[in-house]
Amino acid sequence: MRVVVEEEEEEYPSTPGKVKVERSAAMSRQLHRCFASTGTLFLWALFLVATTATYLSFRSFVDTSSSRYFPASWGGLHWERQIRASASPRRPPGSAEGAGLSVLVTGAAGFVGAHCSLALRKRGDGVVGIDNFNSYYDPSLKKARRALLGSHGVFVVEGDINDGRLLTKLFDVVPFTHVLHLAAQAGVRYAMENPASYVHSNIAGLVSLLEACKDADPQPAIVWASSSSVYGLNDRVPFSESHPTDQPASLYAATKKAGEEITHTYNHIYGLSVTGLRFFTVYGPWGRPDMAYFSFTRNILQGKPITVYRGRDHVDLARDFTYVDDIVRGCLASLDTAGRSTGTGGKKRGPAPYRIFNLGNTSPVTVPTLVAILERYLRVNAMKHVVEMPGNGDVPFTHANISLAREQLGYKPATSLEMGLKKFVRWYLSYYGYNRGTHEFNDHYL
Ligand SMILES: O=C(O)[C@H]1O[C@H](OP(=O)(O)OP(=O)(O)OC[C@H]2O[C@@H](n3ccc(=O)[nH]c3=O)[C@H](O)[C@@H]2O)[C@H](O)[C@@H](O)[C@@H]1O
């Protein structure tokens, strides 16, 4: 305050004689002050520009961080037209099954994803797929599945479910009625080699997808793939949905169990309709090369040994192997009975369904029996290395109780392992070709 008063006195001198000298001194002081204040202003301006630039670049980082990690192979008017066309239901007017669904299928170039997408398309539903075509197993098989889907009018976007911008865009372009979420890092034993990939796909990817779903308007109903592995060390058989699932035996199982809890949260807070399906060792044509039935077939045909795990006390391992067509019927029935999500704009408007079902075959078969069936169809004896099951996340057996799915979904598995493997082997030979000079194929059984 004092300083201001003194300055005012200097600017307006009370003694006229002193004016000239004092004025020039004052002017120089004023100039100096002016420069000083311009300097301050300049500094402030610089500071503001820098802050704005930092803010803008932060915003643009937040906005585009996903596209930095996921190079954009999507977008544009043509792309949007393809998405809309693929998502449009084509059921005949007045169809008994209603107007048709519009389904976003994640993991559409995967084994179950491709089968479900085709089945949905064949009955007239709209389907858009998304898949990141990762190299967990041969991506050329995924591309072949995509080509098959393309020939039936199903468009598959190459992208990752962790790419929030892509998901938001998809929901902007299409008001999907349902999401069939099958994208995941699968495989029980691989989790020891690459644990981060399970967290990336099965946890972070799931949350990213749920975020997009809860923000979408309308919110879709979600049907997604959990796993029989959530039963972990449970030894009550057959496995029922009411049994505890708090003792997973692998990180894979733990991420699927976490998925069940995470989806429950989104159902509770945002009113998303959620159906979790516990698949039991799904197999069939166009299957996954990392699974035992597939890799055994390949090795047997190539004359390479196979490793057969055995449980403690020489007890054979057993699985409730479930044929893919049965699983597809369970998935479609789940979509049809899902019930609506209730939220809009991220806000819950009322309670929404939260369901969990086992989808198994209800008749476990031992691994040696699986091998024997393959040997019979392939007419080649396998070179078997029988080793004790390593402590790598495997469980000794699985067996589904499917009463709940039967009652609520009308689910009724219809394919025995014998029948299903016959179809698988036929597909395998037609897809990969067969060297008749080396191994004669047993047509009698096929
Ligand atoms: O039911 C499920 O939820 C799971 O089913 C399969 O997991 P898994 O049952 O372990 O299927 P495979 O990897 O095909 O193994 C089948 C059986 O063959 C045995 N096996 C596997 C590989 C091998 O080299 N030797 C061998 O004896 C396994 O121990 C197991 O008992 C899938 O790989 C999982 O993605 C899925 O979630």
Side-chain angles (χ1 to χ4, degrees), residues 136-212:
Y136 168 59
Y137 62 80
D138 184 9
S140 75
L141 180 57
K142 301 178 183 182
K143 285 181 182 145
R145 294 188 193 120
R146 173 170 67 180
L148 178 69
L149 293 179
S151 70
H152 287 81
V154 176
F155 185 72
V156 181
V157 178
E158 182 162 357
D160 195 296
I161 50 168
N162 281 281
D163 188 346
R165 283 184 72 231
L166 168 57
L167 296 181
T168 304
K169 183 73 185 170
L170 284 169
F171 282 107
D172 280 351
V173 175
V174 174
F176 290 106
T177 56
H178 294 75
V179 170
L180 181 57
H181 174 47
L182 303 171
Q185 176 59 60
V188 175
R189 289 161 291 280
Y190 180 65
M192 291 182 71
E193 261 175 70
N194 189 358
S197 66
Y198 290 78
V199 178
H200 176 80
S201 294
N202 304 357
I203 305 284
L206 174 65
V207 171
S208 162
L209 179 74
L210 292 169
E211 280 293 310

Side-chain angles (χ1 to χ4, degrees), residues 32-33 241 257 283 322 445:
H32 176 77
R33 212 175 52 178
E241 292 87 346
K257 171 66 180 167
Y283 72 98
T322 311
Y445 287 106

Side-chain angles (χ1 to χ4, degrees), residues 177-383:
T177 56
H178 294 75
V179 170
L180 181 57
H181 174 47
L182 303 171
Q185 176 59 60
V188 175
R189 289 161 291 280
Y190 180 65
M192 291 182 71
E193 261 175 70
N194 189 358
S197 66
Y198 290 78
V199 178
H200 176 80
S201 294
N202 304 357
I203 305 284
L206 174 65
V207 171
S208 162
L209 179 74
L210 292 169
E211 280 293 310
C213 290
K214 72 101 159 78
D215 285 337
D217 192 7
Q219 285 180 339
I222 298 160
V223 174
W224 74 285
S226 182
S227 157
S228 71
S229 64
V230 300
Y231 289 106
L233 305 182
N234 174 47
D235 54 8
R236 287 159 66 189
V237 280
F239 299 164
S240 154
E241 292 87 346
S242 60
H243 289 174
T245 52
D246 52 3
Q247 289 186 295
S250 65
L251 180 67
Y252 168 71
T255 61
K256 285 295 181 181
K257 171 66 180 167
E260 293 187 355
E261 314 290 10
I262 290 167
T263 51
H264 184 269
T265 315
Y266 277 77
N267 164 267
H268 173 67
I269 300 180
Y270 300 110
L272 282 175
S273 162
V274 172
T275 306
L277 302 174
R278 294 176 178 165
F279 293 167
F280 282 69
T281 314
V282 190
Y283 72 98
W286 293 98
R288 271 173 39 207
D290 61 311
M291 289 184 67
Y293 73 96
F294 200 119
S295 64
F296 286 175
T297 300
R298 185 182 53 222
N299 282 15
I300 291 171
L301 284 173
Q302 291 176 356
K304 292 181 182 164
I306 61 170
T307 305
V308 177
Y309 299 136
R310 192 164 56 188
R312 281 205 193 101
D313 303 324
H314 292 201
V315 176
D316 290 330
L317 302 183
R319 286 291 180 273
D320 198 359
F321 295 101
T322 311
Y323 189 63
V324 66
D325 287 359
D326 290 324
I327 289 290
V328 168
R329 277 191 285 274
C331 289
L332 269 53
S334 299
L335 290 167
D336 290 339
T337 56
R340 285 175 188 276
S341 292
T342 63
T344 45
K347 286 218 176 67
K348 182 179 175 179
R349 301 261 183 253
Y354 180 83
R355 312 182 296 172
I356 290 198
F357 296 110
N358 285 342
L359 292 187
N361 198 45
T362 63
S363 49
V365 176
T366 66
V367 176
T369 305
L370 164 84
V371 175
I373 298 171
L374 289 174
E375 287 178 318
R376 186 148 42 82
Y377 287 145
L378 299 169
R379 234 186 189 181
V380 184
N381 286 333
M383 284 190 273

